[in-house]
Amino acid sequence: MPLLFPTQTTLHEIFATQSPLYQRSVQPQSPDLSRKSGRDLFPAWSAVDDVKSKAGQLSNEAQREIQMASAAAQAKAGHIELYSPKYYAACTLGGLLACGVTHTAVTPLDLVKCRRQVDSKMYKGNFEAWGKIGRAEGFRGIYTGWSPTFFGYSAQGAFKYGGYEFFKKFYSDLAGEDLAYRYKTSIYLTASASAEFIADLALCPFEAVKVRMQTTIPPFATGTFNGISNITGKEGFAGLYKGLYPLWGRQIPYTMMKFASFETIVEMIYGYLPGKKSDYSKGAQTGVSFAGGYLAGILCAIVSHPADVMVSKLNANRQPGEAFGAAMGRIYKDIGFGGLWNGLAVRIVMIGTLTGLQWMIYDSFKIFMGLPTTGGAAPPPKKEISMP
């Protein structure tokens, strides 16, 4: 039953505070640890901010160094006029750097791809392959074939990029301004095919050595020039070029897709973005180059893969004196249509990354030399209005 009168405790709480003798209990305050220690309460956050600050300083310093080096290179080279011999020389050097470095970097992927193309049952996957190769041959074995890869694709990249710039201008001038703009994709395809036709003549001997080194266990040669000597000693100079026709069959469609799709994709990207290409920084433009190159590389890998498999098979299994057509017929009979697509997934990853990095390096070098990046919408030709 509830009480009708307040309890003693209730009366004390109400009236005791009115007394002058009442002392309010003071809660002890927690000490300010941050002031006492002189450190922040959240040191992890401070460390992250410090790292960000130092990274920003290093980035700014690196940009200044690159700008200084670029200015020095441009001053030494002098003004480079578009489509002048200096321009084509700069594009040739940029292509050499872009292709030689990137192809050499992905040698471990290329090694597994070539061996799986020759024998699809050799490895179940990339990591298993690298593990077996590493245990049997050491870390150096994973980079088997890097030397002919570097020499061959450096030469090919020089002729491919420099030749593309030359033939694109050459065919555009032949067609005239109006037709060149209207049929620009045809110009890209024709120019890239012409450049690759010449570039493969430089690549083919090194490709023959590379494939044989990667598909023979242990490798048939210790290095590039030792491999060339071994091939020419047994088969003559023609032995270096016995894979030329399938190499053209692989590389020319690949390069046509690479350049034409890159130019188209980059134009679409800038068409989708607000503003014009010139409104964006050089760093943003190289980012667009990488994205366009990666997407173009995926298409390249699919288009050229059957010929890539055939190149590996011919360089590894073609008999001395065997006719080209007979060798292809024999190999196709052994592997069938499905065998032409062995290693496609690996090659898509490899070629996509490779092509994206190549375009990024190539356009970065052009920026370094004070030249505009590749791709982007070309202005439509001006139409003259005749006055009556």
Side-chain angles (χ1 to χ4, degrees):
M1 179 177 179
L3 298 176
L4 297 177
F5 301 99
T7 63
Q8 184 177 2
T9 303
T10 304
L11 293 172
H12 177 76
E13 290 177 353
I14 294 173
F15 294 105
T17 56
Q18 307 298 324
S19 172
L21 301 177
Y22 175 77
Q23 294 181 354
R24 187 183 299 272
S25 59
V26 180
Q27 296 292 335
Q29 296 182 355
S30 58
D32 190 347
L33 297 178
S34 62
R35 292 181 181 178
K36 185 175 180 180
S37 62
R39 293 181 299 178
D40 294 332
L41 288 177
F42 304 102
W45 290 359
S46 301
V48 170
D49 290 338
D50 187 49
V51 169
K52 287 181 178 179
S53 175
K54 290 181 178 179
Q57 292 175 2
L58 288 174
S59 176
N60 293 334
E61 185 65 26
Q63 288 180 6
R64 284 194 294 269
E65 292 291 335
I66 292 173
Q67 290 173 357
M68 290 172 60
S70 175
Q74 292 178 37
K76 188 173 182 179
H79 174 67
I80 300 178
E81 186 178 351
L82 288 178
Y83 313 119
S84 65
K86 277 187 178 181
Y87 173 78
Y88 294 125
C91 293
T92 299
L93 181 56
L96 183 150
L97 295 173
C99 291
V101 172
T102 52
H103 276 278
T104 305
V106 298
T107 297
L109 275 172
D110 190 43
L111 171 65
V112 176
K113 179 211 63 156
C114 285
R115 289 187 177 180
R116 293 184 72 182
Q117 285 174 345
V118 173
D119 184 0
S120 60
K121 298 179 181 179
M122 183 176 291
Y123 308 117
K124 294 179 181 179
N126 292 352
F127 292 103
E128 180 197 18
W130 293 327
K132 287 184 176 180
I133 295 169
R135 287 190 294 272
E137 307 171 42
F139 180 78
R140 185 176 180 178
I142 298 174
Y143 275 86
T144 299
W146 74 267
S147 176
T149 297
F150 176 76
F151 288 115
Y153 283 94
S154 293
Q156 186 231 26
F159 286 105
K160 176 161 64 176
Y161 280 87
Y164 174 72
E165 298 284 357
F166 172 80
F167 284 115
K168 183 169 69 169
K169 174 64 173 172
F170 178 75
Y171 292 135
S172 296
D173 290 344
L174 284 180
E177 188 178 13
D178 183 60
L179 291 176
Y181 181 75
R182 189 182 306 173
Y183 300 106
K184 55 189 173 184
T185 303
S186 299
I187 297 292
Y188 302 151
L189 292 170
T190 309
S192 56
S194 302
E196 188 61 42
F197 181 87
I198 298 171
D200 287 344
L201 295 174
L203 170 63
C204 193
F206 299 100
E207 182 75 0
V209 174
K210 176 190 80 74
V211 171
R212 293 195 192 190
M213 286 182 68
Q214 292 180 336
T215 55
T216 56
I217 302 175
F220 87 110
T222 57
T224 303
F225 299 103
N226 175 247
I228 291 175
S229 177
N230 288 344
I231 293 174
T232 55
K234 294 178 181 179
E235 305 172 38
F237 186 75
L240 297 173
Y241 283 91
K242 71 179 185 180
L244 179 61
Y245 294 146
L247 185 64
W248 274 334
R250 179 191 77 183
Q251 288 298 128
I252 290 178
Y254 166 88
T255 301
M256 291 170 71
M257 179 64 73
K258 174 180 179 176
F259 282 86
S261 59
F262 173 80
E263 296 264 15
T264 303
I265 290 170
V266 168
E267 182 177 337
M268 290 173 63
I269 291 174
Y270 284 119
Y272 178 78
L273 294 173
K276 298 180 296 184
K277 175 183 174 180
S278 57
D279 297 332
Y280 293 91
S281 66
K282 300 302 183 183
Q285 291 183 27
T286 54
V288 171
S289 297
F290 176 79
Y294 196 95
L295 294 174
I298 294 173
L299 300 175
C300 294
I302 296 171
V303 167
S304 62
H305 192 73
D308 183 62
V309 173
M310 193 59 69
V311 169
S312 297
K313 290 285 189 179
L314 283 169
N315 278 311
N317 300 328
R318 187 178 177 185
Q319 304 301 323
E322 186 178 19
F324 172 72
M328 285 192 64
R330 176 178 58 82
I331 291 171
Y332 183 78
K333 185 177 179 180
D334 291 339
I335 65 176
F337 181 77
L340 293 174
W341 302 97
N342 286 337
L344 177 61
V346 178
R347 193 159 182 266
I348 284 177
V349 175
M350 184 183 82
I351 297 299
T353 306
L354 201 72
T355 308
L357 290 174
Q358 283 176 3
W359 278 114
M360 187 177 72
I361 293 172
Y362 178 67
D363 277 345
S364 296
F365 182 79
K366 289 177 77 175
I367 291 172
F368 184 82
M369 297 303 297
L371 301 172
T373 58
T374 312
K382 297 179 181 179
K383 294 183 179 180
E384 296 182 1
I385 302 176
S386 57
M387 299 296 293

